[in-house]
Amino acid sequence: MSQEPLPLLGATEIRRLAAELSIRPTKTLGQNFVIDGNTIRRIVAAANVDPGETVLEVGPGLGSLTLGIMDAAAKVVAVEIDPPLADRLPQTMSEFRPGREQDLTVILNDAMKVSELPGNPTALVANLPYNVAVPVVLHLLEHFPSIRHGLVMVQDEVADRMSARPGSKIYGVPSVKGAWYGTMRKAGVIGMNVFWPAPKIQSGLVSFTRDADRTDAPDRKLVFQIIDAAFAQRRKTLRAALSGWAGSGARAEQILVAAGIDPKERGEKLDIDGFIAIARAAEQIPADAPEGAPA
């Protein structure tokens, strides 16, 4: 006989918890709580969490996704910025998953400010606020190399951008910077009626795998500076877009030629390897001498 799935938080439980805490979901914190158990199970299944893993969850809220993750993982480290929610989460775990309380660690902090985590989490599974989704993912991948894979739920448009490939109209900074760490792909779409309150737009799932070895690459900050410059004025050629960063159009062209890239190309055509090549060439070409300096 197949085992009955453990109970998850539905609309009734979510509203009860919110009323108990006198919480009204705020747009400022991007609070849209998942109230559908099947959606939780779908998200967790798509995350491919191994039973022995420690999973990092950002923004657990009232704990609907947390319970689903706990059913698939060994431990959960939850980072929550809202004090009442962070304080209530251990009790919710005790009520709905008695005996698993010690497997949950709740950290009251802003995910963008976290630089240390217990347990070396190997996966990230999170329902991220739309306005900070990309910076949070990039920050966590930068600071926690133990995170090897994960799945995040974000605004559908953001999901498309994060997983876009070179040459598409939506390919840009999130796409390229994400590719620095590994492979990101669109893993599904989530409707609006599974949330409380219901957002006005669909959500998208993005799965990622850290599969890029950058040990021999130029400094990440240098590569990211080039990416930012290339897309700041995306209609411009790379020669023009990078001229400010390079110090002059002439040096920008010299760097691009040395990198094997057509100076008339646009940034949206380059993959991450192209930007790494530009950074590598820039390290070999000295900055322009200031005007009036001796030759």
Side-chain angles (χ1 to χ4, degrees), residues 34-189:
V34 184
I35 57 174
D36 179 67
N38 287 331
T39 299
I40 294 296
R41 294 185 185 98
R42 178 186 166 195
I43 292 169
V44 174
N48 291 317
V49 174
D50 185 89
E53 286 193 279
T54 295
V55 176
L56 170 63
E57 182 188 8
V58 173
L62 291 166
S64 51
L65 182 56
T66 314
L67 294 176
I69 298 170
M70 187 64 80
D71 293 341
K75 296 178 182 295
V76 175
V77 177
V79 177
E80 174 58 59
I81 194 173
D82 194 350
L85 294 175
D87 289 343
R88 183 59 169 81
L89 198 56
Q91 184 181 337
T92 302
M93 184 61 63
S94 180
E95 291 172 4
F96 285 84
R97 297 295 184 273
R100 296 296 306 276
E101 298 90 345
Q102 73 281 2
D103 296 329
L104 172 69
T105 303
V106 181
I107 296 172
L108 176 62
N109 205 340
D110 180 344
M112 287 296 294
K113 297 178 181 177
V114 172
S115 58
E116 293 182 10
L117 287 172
N120 293 320
T122 52
L124 167 66
V125 182
N127 171 21
L128 294 175
Y130 295 161
N131 56 335
V132 297
V134 172
V136 164
V137 170
L138 293 176
H139 172 82
L140 295 174
L141 288 174
E142 175 191 349
H143 288 278
F144 301 102
S146 64
I147 296 175
R148 307 308 302 172
H149 71 106
L151 183 100
V152 293
M153 180 160 56
V154 298
Q155 181 180 338
D156 194 34
E157 180 184 347
V158 175
D160 288 335
R161 289 177 180 172
M162 290 175 71
S163 57
R165 297 294 181 259
S168 71
K169 291 182 179 179
I170 56 173
Y171 180 75
V173 172
S175 325
V176 196
K177 289 185 177 179
W180 168 268
Y181 296 103
T183 303
M184 300 210 174
R185 66 177 184 84
K186 184 86 171 281
V189 176

